[in-house]
Amino acid sequence: MNTRAIWLPSFLSVLATARTFTLDGISARPVRVEVDVHRGLPAFQVVGLPDAAVREARERVRAAMINCGFEFPLSRIVANLAPASVRKAGPGLDLAIAAALLTASGQLDLGGLPPLALVGELALDGSVRPVNGVLAIAEAARSRGSEAIVVPAANGPEAALVGDLDVIGLESLAQLAALAAGEWQPSRPRPLSLGLRVAEGGPDLADLRGQPHLRYALEVAAAGGHSLLMVGPPGAGKSLAAARLPSILPPLAPDEALEVARIASACGRLGHGPGGRPFRSPHHTISPAGLIGGGNPPHPGEATLSHCGVLFLDELCEFHRDTLEALRAPLETGWVSIARAGSWRQLPCRFMLVAAANPCPCGRGDADPECVCPPLAVQRYQAKLSGALADRIDVLAAIRQPSAAEIGGPPGEPSAAVRERVALARERQEARLGSGRCNAQMTPVEVRECALEEDAAALLADAYARRRLSGRAHDRVLRLARTVADLAGAEAIGRDQMAQALQLRRRDRS
Ligand SMILES: [Zn+2]
């Protein structure tokens, strides 16, 4: 359906419509802009559950039309955004409102073009500014039958990722009239390149010197998609190690890269950063809504921005309790569910959780003679640590300060070599569990189906009784042991692999 004008002579008023979309989470919902121009005192009203940015479109549209040489009708104008039950947010509806108003006032005729949708923010001088979520909007436009989409020129490359859709990148409102008149034939923008390869020149694991236990913990976590908690003194390399985790993960699959791009686009972050797997490291003062998303319409949080990548929580004990509680369900399901009056949204958030904490409030650890923390403070601190998501974390790595010899020694094994082993282990998991899945996501039924050698089963049974493991911790050890076996290329989990898995969860004893 194009922008078109319907003359209604009996009331001396004109109705025109345009098709556009509004962003809702990371997907787009269709909006039909209806503009009615009729005789009366000059006024311009926008109705249909608009937010403040949409209501302000009136001023932008008026100035943009006049500054592009169009006439602004001195009549009573009503722009209705249908369906009225859906909340419209952001400035992306400006272009469609302007197009419908130009059509209603007889200054534009898009009737000669294929069915198209329009999206873009207008500047006062009539230039078209980029908006968020154009990738999701272009996908929605194609699935709803539009053959073309008019987008801000800066968003052209992301819209061009969608096939079977004619993408027109607009620099200014004046070009819309030239397009309609057939005086301007825009060329299709080049599609954006998705981060299908590991970002080169980024942080490399070679920078981590010594620390063999930490390196192994990182490799196992990466291979099985396991969550990881590092406990150690400040300056031991926790943040350095976490930032290098994306470099040892296999590159994104094409559908994953598209999903990551869709989320980045909805948050206005597409094209920022190095590409590849996301790495997010929010500050500990973040609110629950900032971490998992919220608002109406819902806005993705850090958890969703980390989808297919790494979410790093440094100083885990400093995070507010409610913030960490909010993360529990998303960690388990891979989805954030946001319920709003009358609606319910799900945002994807399948990320690897990596957390870091000091061993005690002063950071030296109670084994260090210089630690001055009173025993009660250490106890309280560790209680906080074991409460905070500890039962959702697979790998627990105790880290020590590297020695002078290690710091001055040769660089560690580079990321590329580790990544190769991780990719092989992931291939084995996918062959067993299905495409895109890893050991950390095994269901309790799948965990019980893991092949175990007899002495490995005996070792696990012994640890279960001696360490008084919970049922959940028992399954976590099994998942970890499966990953250790996958890294070793073993069919069944052997005794050594079980011992290594138990070692990677040493804090279960406390
Ligand atoms: Zn201390």
Side-chain angles (χ1 to χ4, degrees):
M1 182 190 328
N2 264 348
T3 50
R4 61 170 192 264
I6 304 155
W7 290 91
L8 302 168
S10 55
F11 299 101
L12 292 171
S13 79
V14 194
L15 185 71
T17 64
R19 172 189 280 200
T20 185
F21 291 84
T22 188
L23 200 59
D24 181 5
I26 56 164
S27 49
R29 298 180 144 233
V31 173
R32 190 178 134 104
V33 178
E34 302 168 341
V35 169
D36 179 56
V37 179
H38 59 265
R39 271 194 192 168
L41 280 176
F44 187 4
Q45 233 187 336
V46 177
V47 297
L49 220 56
D51 78 347
V54 179
R55 270 197 303 274
E56 288 165 357
R58 292 178 301 184
E59 302 308 323
R60 289 189 296 271
V61 167
R62 188 199 312 264
M65 277 174 67
I66 293 168
N67 288 327
C68 283
F70 297 110
E71 222 169 273
F72 191 82
L74 285 174
S75 319
R76 203 169 166 75
I77 305 163
V78 179
N80 178 37
L81 311 172
S85 58
V86 174
R87 189 174 290 272
K88 325 304 180 296
L93 305 178
D94 290 5
L95 192 60
I97 295 174
L101 183 51
L102 285 170
T103 308
S105 56
Q107 302 178 77
L108 183 74
D109 180 14
L110 292 173
L113 298 174
L116 56 76
L118 303 111
V119 60
E121 174 185 343
L122 287 175
L124 298 187
D125 64 356
S127 53
V128 183
R129 289 193 170 134
V131 293
N132 293 352
V134 167
L135 178 53
I137 289 172
E139 287 175 324
R142 185 193 53 184
S143 69
R144 297 242 164 205
S146 291
E147 289 174 24
I149 186 163
V150 178
V151 298
N155 293 125
E158 60 175 292
L161 286 170
V162 181
D164 294 334
L165 186 71
D166 201 4
V167 176
I168 300 155
L170 212 60
E171 299 272 4
S172 92
L173 185 61
Q175 282 178 323
L176 196 59
L179 179 78
E183 295 160 3
W184 178 54
Q185 296 279 334
S187 55
R188 187 183 166 85
R190 277 169 66 94
L192 193 78
S193 76
L194 291 174
L196 287 176
R197 271 193 269 157
V198 177
E200 287 193 17
D204 197 284
L205 205 57
D207 305 337
L208 186 68
R209 288 158 200 256
Q211 308 268 34
H213 178 64
L214 174 57
R215 291 187 77 97
Y216 186 64
L218 282 172
E219 184 170 333
V220 172
H226 299 288
S227 46
L228 165 70
L229 170 63
M230 299 175 278
V231 180
K238 291 171 294 191
S239 306
L240 181 132
R244 277 142 189 82
L245 196 53
S247 73
I248 60 168
L249 290 169
L252 289 167
D255 55 334
E256 285 178 329
L258 198 63
E259 232 176 340
V260 169
R262 198 178 295 130
I263 293 166
S265 160
C267 298
R269 309 190 52 86
L270 194 59
H272 301 211
R277 290 193 184 262
F279 176 79
R280 305 290 302 173
S281 168
H283 190 254
H284 59 74
T285 51
I286 193 171
S287 68
L291 191 61
I292 67 157
N296 191 11
H299 190 77
E302 292 288 336
T304 298
L305 276 167
S306 317
H307 184 58
C308 295
V310 174
L311 177 67
F312 178 46
L313 305 183
D314 199 5
E315 309 281 1
L316 184 68
C317 293
E318 303 294 326
F319 278 81
H320 204 272
R321 194 194 158 91
D322 294 349
T323 312
L324 296 180
E325 286 293 326
L327 206 55
R328 279 171 180 268
L331 254 176
E332 208 75 350
T333 58
W335 292 95
V336 171
S337 303
I338 300 175
R340 288 283 169 273
S343 69
W344 188 69
R345 296 280 169 277
Q346 273 200 319
L347 301 172
C349 67
R350 220 178 53 249
F351 56 84
M352 262 182 77
L353 176 70
V354 178
N358 293 338
C360 69
C362 83
R364 293 188 184 88
D366 47 358
D368 189 318
E370 278 185 43
C371 171
V372 289
C373 306
L376 197 66
V378 175
Q379 228 173 43
R380 204 179 295 138
Y381 186 85
Q382 294 198 340
K384 208 172 168 188
L385 195 57
S386 55
L389 295 175
D391 58 336
R392 298 288 198 280
I393 285 175
D394 297 336
V395 182
L396 300 145
I399 301 173
R400 54 177 176 78
Q401 198 82 41
S403 67
E406 281 179 332
I407 288 283
E413 194 182 17
S415 292
V418 184
R419 187 165 65 236
E420 240 168 74
R421 291 197 296 272
V422 168
L424 272 178
R426 288 242 173 161
E427 270 171 36
R428 291 188 190 108
Q429 294 166 52
E430 291 199 357
R432 205 171 48 242
L433 302 168
S435 166
R437 295 188 65 216
C438 47
N439 288 338
Q441 298 157 6
M442 276 197 282
T443 63
V445 176
E446 285 168 332
V447 170
R448 302 294 152 147
E449 283 169 359
C450 285
L452 270 172
E453 283 177 12
E454 230 169 78
D455 43 0
L459 187 61
L460 178 60
D462 179 53
Y464 182 69
R466 262 192 316 118
R467 288 196 197 176
R468 273 176 272 149
L469 296 186
S470 65
R472 187 178 263 149
H474 175 275
D475 283 8
R476 281 187 195 279
V477 173
L478 262 174
R479 287 192 185 101
L480 263 184
R482 188 56 259 172
T483 303
V484 174
D486 281 327
L487 273 169
E491 282 298 316
I493 300 167
R495 185 187 161 84
D496 286 355
Q497 286 134 15
M498 184 58 77
Q500 261 163 336
L502 286 165
Q503 185 72 13
L504 285 166
R505 287 193 55 89
R506 254 190 327 186
R507 284 177 59 89
D508 279 340
R509 264 177 304 192
S510 60

